[in-house]
Amino acid sequence: MATNRALAYLESKKNLAGSACGVAGVALTLTGLAGTYWPVVVAGLYGAGALIAPPERVAAPSFPDPREQLGALRRDFDTLADYIKEVDPAPAAAGKLTELMALYEALLDPGWVADVLATDPEAVHRLARAIRQDLPESVDTYHRTRWWNRLAPGQESPDRHLERQLGLLYDEADRLTRDLRESESRRQQTHTTYLEDRDRS
């Protein structure tokens, strides 16, 4: 580890700048301008060069591109779809579940819609949270609560809870869709304004 750090410093901008200034100090010594204090002059110039050199640029961490994130999210959606096939809720909840899955599928469908989605990291995050966390949790708690409800009937129907949760998730996905549509509308308006301004100039 120490060897790696030493090698890294040898190749660093600070060492190169310091060495260049140190060579200038040696040149001053050879011409007689440094006098008897030439070691101090050489060391001082090296230190000055090392201090004024710009710091090494630390490489920024590389994170997945939004399109790569969507690819992983599509695979997770397929896994979720297989899981959802095993669900057998009441007709009202089943209809809302079908609508919700169709909306998710449309948003993730490869093409220009997914390209628009990929430009909005917050929208990708919201959709990922719904697919990977919210909907599976809704379905899982529905299954477990329904089992307990059979043992102790008389409580509020798990189907009603599931229907409400699916409605909320659908509203959230619908808002996300509207936000993306408005973003495209603003982009179109911006382009219109740009063309109008260019035409006037």
Side-chain angles (χ1 to χ4, degrees), residues 56-133:
E56 292 294 320
R57 180 179 175 271
V58 179
S62 176
F63 296 110
D65 179 87
R67 285 177 179 78
E68 292 176 34
Q69 293 179 26
L70 281 184
L73 188 53
R74 280 189 200 99
R75 291 189 291 275
D76 292 343
F77 174 76
D78 291 339
T79 301
L80 176 64
D82 291 338
Y83 172 60
I84 293 298
K85 288 174 186 174
E86 305 301 319
V87 181
D88 185 26
K96 187 58 75 175
L97 183 57
T98 300
E99 289 177 18
L100 180 61
M101 291 297 286
L103 185 51
Y104 288 160
E105 187 174 14
L107 285 167
L108 287 171
D109 189 37
W112 68 268
V113 174
D115 288 343
V116 172
L117 178 62
T119 63
D120 189 340
E122 177 59 27
V124 173
H125 169 72
R126 286 160 60 192
L127 186 58
R129 182 182 58 198
I131 290 172
R132 291 173 174 155
Q133 179 181 329

Side-chain angles (χ1 to χ4, degrees), residues 167-197:
L168 292 168
L169 287 172
Y170 186 88
D171 290 344
E172 183 183 54
D174 188 53
R175 281 195 304 274
L176 188 150
T177 305
R178 287 200 306 271
D179 290 346
L180 292 173
R181 184 180 63 226
E182 286 171 13
S183 174
E184 283 294 278
S185 296
R186 285 193 300 272
R187 181 179 166 208
Q188 184 185 38
Q189 181 60 50
T190 300
H191 190 58
T192 301
T193 304
Y194 161 72
L195 292 175
E196 288 172 345
D197 290 345

